[in-house]
Amino acid sequence: MKKCILIINPNSGRELNKDYLFEYQKILQKYGYESIVYFTSRSKHAIEIMKNLPDTIDLVVSLGGDGTFNEVVTGNMERKNRLLICHIPVGTTNDVGAMFGYGKDPVKNLKLALDGVVKGIDICTINNKPFVYVAGFGKFMNVSYETPRELKSKYGQLAYLFEGAKNFVFPTPLYSMKYVIDGKEYSGQYSFMLISNANRIAGINNFYKDIKLDDNKFEIILCNLTKKSDIVRSLYYLATSNITQAKGFEFHRLSSLEIVFDEIPKNAWCVDGEKLDMDTKKYNISIINDFKILMPKKNVKKLFSKRGE
């Protein structure tokens, strides 16, 4: 019988009903898996669990939010021999899960995954630390990791809107920086920046058009807006149109990026919804290819190029 590990974050935004765990083990058994359960108890615990699993494990299932999945990916990156992983979303926003084609029922989602396909995806890294779908700094980037967990449990995604509304009234600082693309250096002052490999960010579907998870590319947006009226206008673009066409934004699609700030940013980066503690002026973003995951078939044709088939 094959072996499956379940890594569960019991403190994710949406509490996982205990009955689900029993159903999971029954389903996995029907698919030929013997299952063992690990519950995370602290930050970065999933990284430790993942790093120390034996090479004989056939599948690792992450149950939690995007941050939990990030930890599982990080731990897998640090292994000599990577394991096949799968992500079942039970967090608050669940951008990655929605992008992959999952619904809201965790039991049905497991079946979707087990009936799915193994794909090789691009994983972005920032100073060699992986992020699954998005990293950013500047205005609003602290909202995700500063929103209290109890509010996320009570109000779900609305909790982020409450925190974002409080953040909105504060002044918008500009960050002076230089960045290098294809050997050419640019410079400017920017209020925020997003680096991503996803078509859904912060609960907004189709954030970018024609995103592929296996094209050796990621997307970046830089914004130099500081006026509240301009920011409101840009948020409207985020929700209703093509953000790459909004005034005050620069858009690039590339394979590597070097960023150097004039000063160490006072606020930390946000990586897959979590705080990134990294005290430096210089950041290098690159891609690791063909990281294997098991995912539903639903959005495969839309998300992958011929290289990923």
Side-chain angles (χ1 to χ4, degrees):
M1 183 172 276
K2 295 179 290 186
K3 296 180 180 179
C4 175
I5 299 295
L6 297 170
I7 299 179
I8 301 175
N9 181 355
N11 296 313
S12 288
R14 180 153 51 102
E15 185 177 352
L16 188 66
N17 190 309
K18 292 182 180 179
D19 292 337
Y20 287 159
L21 182 56
F22 178 69
E23 288 296 320
Y24 267 43
Q25 291 176 315
K26 281 174 48 179
I27 293 168
L28 286 165
Q29 190 172 29
K30 288 181 180 179
Y31 280 81
Y33 288 97
E34 174 190 356
S35 58
I36 300 173
V37 179
Y38 289 86
F39 290 97
T40 62
S41 59
R42 58 188 180 276
S43 175
K44 299 182 180 179
H45 191 190
I47 298 176
E48 297 174 24
I49 295 170
M50 192 71 207
K51 282 172 57 177
N52 294 307
L53 291 175
D55 291 341
T56 53
I57 299 300
D58 297 287
L59 177 65
V60 179
V61 178
S62 160
L63 285 101
D66 298 328
T68 304
F69 188 43
N70 175 284
E71 290 194 10
V72 170
V73 168
T74 300
N76 210 18
M77 289 287 193
E78 295 180 13
R79 296 177 57 88
K80 182 178 179 180
N81 297 308
R82 294 180 195 157
L83 300 174
L84 177 63
I85 64 174
C86 172
H87 174 55
I88 305 295
V90 289
T92 304
T93 305
N94 297 321
D95 284 321
V96 175
M99 177 174 65
F100 284 175
Y102 289 113
K104 295 184 178 181
D105 187 323
V107 174
K108 290 181 179 178
N109 285 340
L110 178 61
K111 294 178 181 178
L112 285 174
L114 294 173
D115 289 327
V117 292
V118 176
K119 303 297 295 183
I121 68 171
D122 298 331
I123 296 292
C124 296
T125 64
I126 177 168
N127 288 0
N128 296 318
K129 293 186 178 294
F131 58 97
V132 177
Y133 78 110
V134 68
F137 75 86
K139 188 69 172 178
F140 300 119
M141 293 301 112
N142 60 321
V143 169
S144 180
Y145 59 75
E146 289 186 355
T147 300
R149 187 174 296 280
E150 56 270 21
L151 288 183
K152 290 191 285 186
S153 298
K154 186 175 182 179
Y155 298 109
Q157 199 167 342
L158 284 175
Y160 295 122
L161 295 179
F162 298 151
E163 196 70 23
K166 290 192 297 182
N167 189 288
F168 186 76
V169 302
F170 297 135
T172 302
L174 287 172
Y175 299 82
S176 296
M177 52 173 271
K178 298 176 183 177
Y179 59 101
V180 179
I181 298 175
D182 295 330
K184 185 175 180 180
E185 185 177 287
Y186 304 81
S187 63
Q189 292 186 315
Y190 302 96
S191 52
F192 72 84
M193 179 181 195
L194 283 177
I195 305 169
S196 66
N197 187 34
N199 66 0
R200 176 183 161 111
I201 299 174
I204 300 171
N205 290 312
N206 299 315
F207 193 94
Y208 299 114
K209 308 299 181 185
D210 193 30
I211 295 300
K212 303 298 180 187
L213 303 184
D214 62 342
D215 61 355
N216 197 40
K217 301 283 186 181
F218 55 84
E219 289 70 36
I220 69 167
I221 277 185
L222 297 121
C223 176
N224 59 20
L225 302 176
T226 58
K227 292 183 179 179
K228 291 182 174 62
S229 59
D230 291 335
I231 292 174
V232 169
R233 200 173 295 118
S234 72
L235 294 175
Y236 174 79
Y237 265 98
L238 282 175
T240 64
S241 187
N242 187 347
I243 188 63
T244 63
Q245 298 176 356
K247 293 182 180 179
F249 288 83
E250 296 176 25
F251 173 79
H252 302 275
R253 180 169 283 163
L254 59 162
S255 298
S256 62
L257 174 69
E258 179 184 292
I259 304 169
V260 181
F261 291 90
D262 287 359
E263 299 178 354
I264 295 174
K266 293 181 180 179
N267 293 323
W269 284 67
C270 178
V271 172
D272 290 340
E274 304 295 332
K275 184 178 181 180
L276 176 68
D277 290 314
M278 196 172 283
D279 194 23
T280 181
K281 296 180 183 178
K282 187 174 181 179
Y283 296 85
N284 287 291
I285 294 86
S286 58
I287 290 176
I288 295 174
N289 301 116
D290 295 328
F291 188 94
K292 302 295 184 182
I293 65 165
L294 176 66
M295 62 182 293
K297 297 176 182 177
K298 182 178 179 180
N299 291 337
V300 164
K301 288 185 178 180
K302 180 172 67 174
L303 293 174
F304 291 87
S305 65
K306 291 181 179 179
R307 182 173 71 84
E309 294 179 353

